[in-house]
């Protein structure tokens, strides 16, 4: 959480055996609620460029591409304004 920029990064990891149970949605909801409570204006998700499921998940939940060229870690960046 960086108060100077009013932005926070979110990472959601769900073990394969728990996928499909709505946990990622619940974690995103909880993270978004906490971010709003703290005055965050933008949530940033850095996603492995080859993780199509994660990109689809965040895209479905108001996240928009911000940096589409993979960084040195092979990640793209999606952002959502609160």
């Amino acid at each position: 959480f960086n108060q100077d920029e009013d932005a926070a990064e979110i990472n959601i990891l769900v073990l394969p055996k728990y996928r499909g149970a709505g946990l990622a949605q619940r974690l995103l909801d909880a993270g978004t609620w906490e971010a709003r409570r703290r005055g965050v204006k933008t949530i940033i998700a850095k996603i492995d460029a080859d993780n199509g499921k994660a990109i689809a998940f965040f895209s479905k939940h108001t996240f928009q591409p911000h940096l589409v060229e993979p960084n040195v870690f092979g990640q793209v960046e999606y952002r959502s304004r609160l």
Side-chain angles (χ1 to χ4, degrees):
F1 176 59
N2 184 337
Q3 290 182 335
D4 294 333
E5 296 180 17
D6 293 329
E9 185 174 331
I10 190 167
N11 294 295
I12 298 175
L13 304 168
V14 178
L15 292 172
K17 67 181 182 177
Y18 298 111
R19 292 181 186 156
L23 293 175
Q25 178 65 58
R26 290 177 20 204
L27 290 167
L28 180 60
D29 291 346
T32 300
W33 180 87
E34 181 63 21
R36 281 191 177 113
R37 188 183 77 74
R38 292 180 180 223
V40 170
K41 303 293 184 214
T42 303
I43 298 179
I44 301 166
K46 292 182 181 175
I47 307 164
D48 288 342
D50 62 353
N51 190 341
K53 287 185 179 184
I55 291 171
F57 172 80
F58 282 103
S59 294
K60 185 172 87 172
H61 293 92
T62 72
F63 283 74
Q64 300 295 318
H66 182 71
L67 298 174
V68 294
E69 289 295 320
N71 62 19
V72 295
F73 302 108
Q75 298 171 323
V76 293
E77 188 174 295
Y78 279 61
R79 293 183 175 206
S80 179
R81 295 283 299 160
L82 299 180

